[in-house]
Structures are given as C-alpha cells and as structure tokens.
Amino acid sequence: MNQLSEKELHMHVQIAGWLNIVANSLFLLLGICGFVFFAGLGFFAAADSGDAVALPILGLIGTVGLVFFAVLALPGLLAGYGMLKRKKWGQILGIVVGILSLFNIPVGTALGAYTLFVLFQNSANDYFDGQEAELV
C-alpha cells in the first residue's frame, strides 16, 4: 500500500473519522425522523378518527425503524470516535465498517473505499498505538 507520512496519515484519519461520524449520524437522524413520522401519523389518526389501534401499531413500526437505524449507525459512530482517538480498536472496527459500507451504494461505497485506503496504510499500524499526540 502507498506510504503516507505520519502528518498526512493524521489528516486522513481525522477526515475519515469525521466522515464516518457524520454519515452514521445521518442514519440515526433518518431513524428518528421515521419514528416521529409514524408515531405522529398514529397520533393524528387516533385523535381524528378515534381509532385506538392506530397509535400503538404505527408507534411500534416507528420504534422498530428507529432501533434498526440505530443498530446500523452505532458501529460507524464508534469507529469514527475510535479513529479520532487513535485507538487500535478504532482501526479494526473502522476496517469492518469500511468493508460493510462498500455495499451502501453510492455514498457508502465512496466512504468505505476511502476509509479502507486510509486504514490499510503501512504506517497506520504504528499510528494506532493508543497514544493521542498532537502533530505540528
């Protein structure tokens, strides 16, 4: 793999970490919006027509969607945090999340490819030793 200097690697790891956090925060936001939509739809349907079944059913659908998107987002959020903190587990989890992101076409594919490019650098193993250091 192409060898980046430590300063270049630091910059790319920071970018990849923040991109993972932002992209997976959007997944979480999508789940929250879906929950609010379905729960609100159930609330208005129950209030308008007096249907007592609409709120629990649509609330359950919204909750399942929220949990689904939260489970999808959590590993990416943790990987981004671990990469920013230069933790070895952040590198490993980032590789796993990067591989899984390749199947999320088109944005996830680009993010996964970039994350894998950064984390598979030869100097990345020395970079992720758990020591937080400031580079000048």
Side-chain angles (χ1 to χ4, degrees), residues 55-101:
L55 181 58
I57 296 294
L58 290 172
L60 179 65
I61 291 170
T63 303
V64 168
L66 175 61
V67 169
F68 176 75
F69 281 106
V71 167
L72 285 178
L74 186 61
L77 291 170
L78 290 174
Y81 175 78
M83 286 190 285
L84 292 176
K85 294 297 182 181
R86 297 179 69 166
K87 302 293 183 183
K88 187 66 176 172
W89 60 263
Q91 180 189 20
I92 296 167
L93 186 58
I95 290 170
V96 172
V97 168
I99 291 170
L100 294 175
S101 294

Side-chain angles (χ1 to χ4, degrees), residues 2-6 8-9 12 117-118 121 123:
N2 202 3
Q3 185 73 7
L4 294 175
S5 71
E6 188 173 350
E8 292 171 332
L9 184 66
H12 286 289
F117 166 75
V118 171
Q121 293 293 314
S123 57

Side-chain angles (χ1 to χ4, degrees), residues 11-21 80 83 111 114-115 118:
M11 178 189 66
H12 286 289
V13 167
Q14 297 293 311
I15 292 170
W18 279 111
L19 285 175
N20 274 289
I21 289 173
M83 286 190 285
L111 177 60
Y114 178 67
T115 301
V118 171

